Amino acid sequence: MTLSEWINRKRHDGGAGRLDYNYAFLDEVSKREIRRKILKAVAIPGYQVPFGSRELPVARGWGTGGIQITLSIVLPEDILKVIDQGCDASVNAVNIKRFVNVVTGVQITTDTREATLIQTRHRIPEEPMTERQILVLQVPYPEALREVEPSEAVTRRMHAEADYSRMWLFLYEDIVQFNEITIGYRYPVTVNGRYIMDPSPIPRWDIPKLHMAETLYLFGAGREKRIYAIPPYTSVVPLEFEDYRFRVEDFQGRACERCGATDTYLDEIIDDVSGRRLWFCSDTGYCDKRCRR
Amino acid sequence: MRTAGTEMIAQRAFRRLLQAMSRPGRVFALPPAAVDGRWGPMLTLLESLLDHEVSFAVIGDEGPQGLGPLIAERTRSRVAPPREADFLIVAGGDSGGEILRARRGTLQYPDASATVVYRVQSLLLAEGNGPRVTLSGPGIRKEIRLGEIRGLAPGELGRLREANAEFPLGVDAVFIDDAGRILCIPRSTRIRLLEG
């Protein structure tokens, strides 16, 4: 038997995914624990639920938190999209979708509108999502207060008491030093008026999409062993002062070099040959769609 | 005994439960039960969540032929006193006030709390005859009027409201009817009991 034959062996009973693993790779006990923690996360928006992160055939820090959530909920009829920094074709995204496809038989897409389940790192797609979709974010550092407090025991107590004064002080000092809030990504938000939460390393551009969204957002940190969530129609407010407001990145005067978009989050690329600064849509699926029009 | 496809049914059941928990007050249908009998839908749901790492208590069970032994056999979950259990299964739609004594978690670990699963006769979308109750909070666009929950003891929603008065402490409730329809009221939901 060749390697590719072995990898592509399908179940005899008509079930989806590979024959020699449980459906969706994880064993049932692991999936049940992750499912219980996902439910708690949804019931307590913004609160980080500890979970027993499992070993996967991917190194921790490469999206294992997101993968474990995806594997615990994915159905064979789902249509899966995986993106990394907005890109469907990066090594991380391609490997994750191939893995999930092999162990579940799920269909793959690059089209945000077509997808029912989207796993992502660093971006929320440009196109608005709907009630029938779930977005799973891979999170490296789930603790929003880690910048101001290194101890987990202390940050947990701060969350328990809703004592966020040091986070506000951090923003204040930032303003004193730079005359504005300089946090570029992992911008802290208040969820449901209670917990301060790290929205993962999405750009500020994507933060407003979290507020009162139609879509369920699930966050998984594999290395840090935390799951948290923002249910649909939940208030998500970035931290700001009345006279120093939260604002998104400014791309005024720029346009995507490929599709010409002026209303998307753009990545700055320096051309190797000419040394010129170029701008491209970070969401490649959306950019491709615009190019095909 | 695990049969082929059990894991798939559990996965499907959980996905619906996740939808229901993230959209409180709305009714969703579980996939057709893997097992026959009156406890089929309940067991399908519990099989997606329970194992030897968690405990459960059944309230209002009907003796040795009832639900408790079935859950223990099918999920390997342990029986515990209602005040300590991770899952409180209310078999007859009336907790007799036990949910007020169930675990609500601690401020540092609000997730160390019980999940309450009510078995009721039927969940109906029709308003009007139902309890005069509106829900609001995460998962609900503005406000939702609760449909009829047939077989739920009067006063039970009031107790749930009391158990969840101190967010983030509280219990998360799942209602499941004999046809396998589910509806959730997590602790983040504000329950408003209307006058009259």
Side-chain angles (χ1 to χ4, degrees):
Chain A
M1 189 187 300
T2 68
L3 180 63
S4 69
E5 278 170 0
W6 183 76
I7 286 173
N8 291 314
R9 264 193 298 174
K10 296 289 183 193
R11 301 175 69 102
H12 307 305
D13 60 2
R18 277 218 351 216
L19 183 62
D20 44 359
Y21 284 110
N22 191 33
Y23 174 75
F25 187 78
L26 293 174
D27 61 274
E28 290 303 295
V29 169
S30 298
K31 282 197 278 188
R32 283 180 202 148
E33 196 242 356
I34 294 164
R35 290 178 191 142
R36 292 194 295 266
K37 300 306 166 74
I38 293 173
L39 279 190
K40 298 281 188 192
V42 170
I44 317 169
Y47 165 74
Q48 299 164 58
V49 186
F51 83 110
S53 187
R54 266 64 180 186
E55 290 290 337
L56 287 174
V58 185
R60 284 198 175 139
W62 288 83
T64 54
I67 296 172
Q68 289 176 77
I69 291 177
T70 296
L71 294 176
S72 302
I73 65 173
V74 64
L75 300 178
E77 59 269 27
D78 266 318
I79 302 175
L80 178 74
K81 173 180 166 85
V82 183
I83 45 178
D84 178 9
Q85 303 266 17
C87 181
D88 293 274
S90 79
V91 174
N92 187 245
V94 169
N95 280 330
I96 290 172
K97 64 189 136 185
R98 281 185 59 190
F99 172 63
V100 180
N101 167 264
V102 164
V103 295
T104 65
V106 71
Q107 230 185 302
I108 304 293
T109 186
T110 59
D111 186 341
T112 298
R113 292 282 171 87
E114 197 187 32
T116 56
L117 187 58
I118 303 176
Q119 183 172 329
T120 178
R121 183 161 83 150
H122 297 160
R123 277 312 307 278
I124 294 171
E126 298 288 353
E127 288 176 282
M129 292 183 299
T130 65
E131 279 205 356
R132 59 174 196 92
Q133 297 172 305
I134 297 176
L135 191 77
V136 179
L137 285 104
Q138 303 168 206
V139 180
Y141 306 106
E143 180 52 79
L145 306 176
R146 196 59 78 226
E147 287 292 317
V148 297
E149 174 52 58
S151 158
E152 170 65 22
V154 177
T155 52
R156 192 157 280 274
R157 197 179 65 223
M158 289 162 76
H159 283 298
E161 296 168 353
D163 170 13
Y164 295 126
S165 50
R166 284 167 67 187
M167 196 69 225
W168 287 104
L169 185 63
F170 177 81
L171 296 186
Y172 169 76
E173 285 175 343
D174 206 26
I175 291 167
V176 168
Q177 204 171 349
F178 303 105
N179 205 30
E180 66 172 325
I181 298 171
T182 61
I183 303 169
Y185 55 94
R186 299 183 61 207
Y187 195 100
V189 294
T190 302
V191 179
N192 189 30
R194 177 59 177 80
Y195 287 102
I196 284 189
M197 194 199 86
D198 187 323
S200 99
I202 55 174
R204 285 180 292 170
W205 184 268
D206 287 339
I207 300 279
K209 294 176 191 159
L210 298 169
H211 179 65
M212 296 304 278
E214 289 180 30
T215 310
L216 169 65
Y217 294 95
L218 299 174
F219 299 77
R223 189 181 46 197
E224 305 273 329
K225 306 184 176 67
R226 295 289 183 273
I227 289 173
Y228 53 105
I230 302 175
Y233 309 117
T234 299
S235 145
V236 178
V237 182
L239 268 57
E240 61 180 1
F241 294 101
E242 264 174 53
D243 44 354
Y244 287 88
R245 291 290 186 188
F246 166 85
R247 58 184 177 84
V248 299
E249 291 83 353
D250 183 8
F251 295 112
Q252 198 118 43
R254 316 260 180 228
C256 174
E257 201 72 24
R258 252 181 105 226
C259 73
T262 52
D263 59 349
T264 60
Y265 184 78
L266 301 173
D267 286 333
E268 184 182 353
I269 309 286
I270 296 174
D271 187 80
D272 283 344
V273 182
S274 66
R276 218 159 52 92
R277 284 167 193 278
L278 303 173
W279 302 81
F280 292 97
C281 285
S282 126
D283 183 337
T284 58
Y286 182 65
C287 192
D288 287 346
K289 201 184 258 186
R290 277 179 54 93
C291 287
R292 279 196 302 270
R293 262 181 220 155
Chain B
M1 250 316 273
R2 306 210 68 79
T3 53
T6 314
E7 74 276 12
M8 188 58 81
I9 291 162
Q11 191 98 345
R12 288 185 195 287
F14 177 73
R15 184 68 170 266
R16 295 291 169 82
L17 179 60
L18 177 60
Q19 271 183 306
M21 193 62 87
S22 41
R23 292 170 173 85
R26 275 167 56 180
V27 178
F28 293 86
L30 287 183
V35 282
D36 297 326
R38 56 188 301 221
W39 299 119
M42 174 70 92
L43 290 172
T44 300
L45 183 76
L46 295 183
E47 272 194 321
S48 73
L49 292 173
L50 270 62
D51 57 34
H52 62 279
E53 290 180 3
V54 290
S55 60
F56 72 95
V58 177
I59 297 164
D61 200 1
E62 297 146 30
Q65 300 306 309
L67 189 53
L70 269 176
I71 296 172
E73 183 197 327
R74 293 187 63 95
T75 67
R76 304 283 167 217
S77 176
R78 313 183 302 271
V79 176
R83 289 164 201 219
E84 292 162 30
D86 296 301
F87 287 84
L88 222 56
I89 316 296
V90 182
D94 185 357
S95 76
E98 281 297 339
I99 64 160
L100 290 170
R101 293 179 284 275
R103 284 166 46 200
R104 298 183 201 181
T106 63
L107 280 173
Q108 297 208 10
Y109 292 93
D111 57 305
S113 56
T115 303
V116 187
V117 186
Y118 286 94
R119 179 233 165 201
V120 296
Q121 284 157 27
S122 59
L123 292 165
L124 299 175
L125 293 165
E127 296 179 3
N129 298 328
R132 292 176 58 75
V133 170
T134 60
L135 307 178
S136 60
I140 302 163
R141 195 192 291 266
K142 275 193 179 133
E143 208 176 56
I144 187 170
R145 174 84 185 268
L146 199 60
E148 186 179 356
I149 304 181
R150 214 170 269 169
L152 184 70
E156 206 55 37
L157 287 169
R159 286 172 183 157
L160 186 61
R161 182 166 173 253
E162 200 180 326
N164 290 343
E166 291 173 77
F167 186 85
L169 306 184
V171 298
D172 308 311
V174 181
F175 301 85
I176 178 162
D177 75 6
D178 292 344
R181 285 178 293 239
I182 51 172
L183 178 150
C184 293
I185 305 183
R187 74 190 73 181
S188 56
T189 299
R190 285 183 295 280
I191 302 172
R192 201 154 63 93
L193 309 167
L194 304 179
E195 297 293 314

